[in-house]
Amino acid sequence: MNKKTIDIDGLLEEVGEFGKYQKLYIFFLGLSLLFTASSTMSFVFTTGDMNYRCLINGCDSASETEVEYWPLWLNRTVPFDNDDHRLAKCLQYVRHNPDAINKTNQHIFQCDDSDFNKSLSVQCDEFVFESGGETTIVSAFNIFCKNNKWKLTIVGSLNNIGQFFSLPISGFLSDKYGRKNIIIIGNVLAATCGILRGLSINYTMFLVLEFFDAFFSGGVYSATFIMGIGLVGTKHRVFASTVLSAYYPIGEAIVGILFWYVQDWRKFLIFLNLPGLCFALAYTIIPESVRWMITAGKINEAIEELKYISKYNGKKLSEESLKKLEMFKSTNEKEIEIEEMTTKRRTTSCSSQQAFKRAITSKRIILRLINCSFCWMINTLIYYGLSMSSGSIVGNRYGNYILCSLVEIPALFLVIKIMNNCGRRESQCATLLVCSSLCISIAFVPKHAVILNVLLYLIGKFSITISFVILYMYTAEMFPTEIRHSLLGICSMFGRLGSMVAPQTPLLVTYFGELSPLLLFSGSALLSGLLALLFPETLNKKMPDTVLEAEQIGNSNS
């Protein structure tokens, strides 16, 4: 007997595929996904550009405790952008006679049109901030003007670099030591880094903690997702994955709401991350994945957990199933003893290593992995690119961000109907093609058509959200249980290449024009949508537990 003789989906049918236990379990797992949004999206607000202007000597009174941000004479002293009527943050007009400053009546005599040459402007090095406005690392670490804008955008890229390195490592550790350890330890360490980041004394400290925050939280989402859908039966996987995915946009919206209320980046990071420390208390509450315990050979623990699930759901685990599990355990132990006698090097953990070797030598699996990784890269590029650019839509910055986050929720529940009626492959292709057409449409809609711009933007975010959820579900269904997290981690790792580029889109606009990000999103979505047609269909197929079963997905007789 070998591992493929254990029908884990059959065991779940006995103990309850989606009973009270699974519903409660998914609720607690959802809290973990809620928290991961703080590590992923907090930089959108902590690195936000602030409202500031040049300090005009002779006009702004140094004796005042709070200098007025928008005085009546401002348009005589600083340039304005004619297109959107915004003031130039870092430029001021050249004063005709800078030495002739009347100390007593400076606001009347020194700040009229005759005192400044409006044909010449110079960059300033002292600034006035808008009273009552938000505070970010811009003022804390003196990151002003266009020449330093890269210091803000690099934070988002560094966040994704941390996740890039984290995903394959956490995937390996999760497959070897269990999903539970990655979820709890990752969340607690990420929360600690987030709190310390709010106490940063310089820009370098902030960057280092940003990286490690993302590094520790990088594998939490995928580990949580795999645990959740692995605990429910085949018929309920789509619904369970949708419910789990809905927690993330709620977390995103909470990030926006909290910063809208607090308006201070230090308090924001501390308040946002304090709840994450509570995950340490969940170590004795959250059980390990039954699927992982069985494939890892921890049969006794799996039997105990299956008995508990059946009792909680009002079901009963049959004696026949218990006997099969005991036989599986006995056979597995004998195989390990034989391997140890012949090689003296192998351990019980070698099964996942052997499975990984079989996977990378399989042409079908490796081509599927490459295509899946590319699809991840494009989805993350567009998803995070649209999320980060939401503040540029006309209207309230916070309201737009929250709206663009919450629009994901109806998209998530529409996924259930789409995937069950149309299948995974066609759904993946169609949503990417729709997103492509919307991005290209936004690029050519006039700015004054505000409602149309916002509507197209939200529908674009709506469609890429559906695509992303399908992709998560699809990836989990295409690869085997024994190395599922490892391969999903590789796909997510390459996906981070897209999310690394996404925070740099403001710089892309500077060098290639305003349409460049949307044209990039549209073209890449079109290509990825067409390549999605090469994936096998997994609708109503049993989740593969071994590499051989994964290879057979897509065969005409499978």
Side-chain angles (χ1 to χ4, degrees), residues 246-283:
Y247 277 89
Y248 190 83
I250 295 174
E252 286 184 303
I254 290 173
V255 169
I257 292 169
L258 181 61
F259 194 83
W260 193 357
Y261 177 77
V262 175
Q263 298 276 296
D264 180 277
W265 71 277
R266 293 188 185 275
K267 294 178 181 178
F268 166 72
L269 286 174
I270 293 171
F271 293 158
L272 191 65
N273 286 282
L274 274 175
L277 299 178
C278 297
F279 281 98
L281 303 176
Y283 201 85

Side-chain angles (χ1 to χ4, degrees), residues 454-488:
V454 172
L455 183 62
L456 290 175
Y457 197 96
L458 292 177
I459 297 175
K461 182 66 183 299
F462 185 88
S463 61
I464 196 61
T465 299
I466 294 177
S467 175
F468 214 161
V469 175
I470 294 172
L471 184 59
Y472 242 110
M473 184 73 181
Y474 214 170
T475 306
E477 290 181 332
M478 283 191 288
F479 298 119
T481 299
E482 51 193 356
I483 52 170
R484 180 169 293 131
H485 197 169
S486 295
L487 297 184
L488 193 150

Side-chain angles (χ1 to χ4, degrees), residues 371-384 386 415 418 423-441 459-472 474-475 478 518-535:
N371 191 11
C372 195
S373 297
F374 178 76
C375 196
W376 269 84
M377 183 170 65
I378 300 308
N379 270 265
T380 54
L381 169 66
I382 301 172
Y383 177 85
Y384 288 108
L386 292 178
V415 168
I418 290 176
R424 284 37 162 168
R425 179 171 54 200
E426 287 74 13
S427 301
Q428 187 76 74
C429 173
T431 50
L432 284 168
L433 295 183
V434 169
C435 182
S436 174
S437 61
L438 286 166
C439 287
I440 198 70
S441 299
I459 297 175
K461 182 66 183 299
F462 185 88
S463 61
I464 196 61
T465 299
I466 294 177
S467 175
F468 214 161
V469 175
I470 294 172
L471 184 59
Y472 242 110
Y474 214 170
T475 306
M478 283 191 288
L518 291 170
L519 294 175
L520 174 64
F521 296 159
S522 179
S524 56
L526 175 63
L527 177 59
S528 183
L530 296 176
L531 288 175
L533 294 174
L534 300 177
F535 288 133

Side-chain angles (χ1 to χ4, degrees), residues 53-61 67-78 80 93 106-108 110-113 116 118 128:
R53 64 168 175 83
C54 291
L55 176 70
I56 310 299
N57 290 322
C59 297
D60 288 309
S61 174
V67 178
E68 186 179 356
Y69 177 72
W70 203 282
L72 295 175
W73 44 260
L74 187 61
N75 64 339
R76 307 169 197 162
T77 60
V78 300
F80 278 74
Y93 292 131
Q106 55 186 10
H107 289 284
I108 299 174
Q110 299 298 322
C111 302
D112 55 26
D113 292 330
F116 295 90
K118 291 189 175 182
V128 174

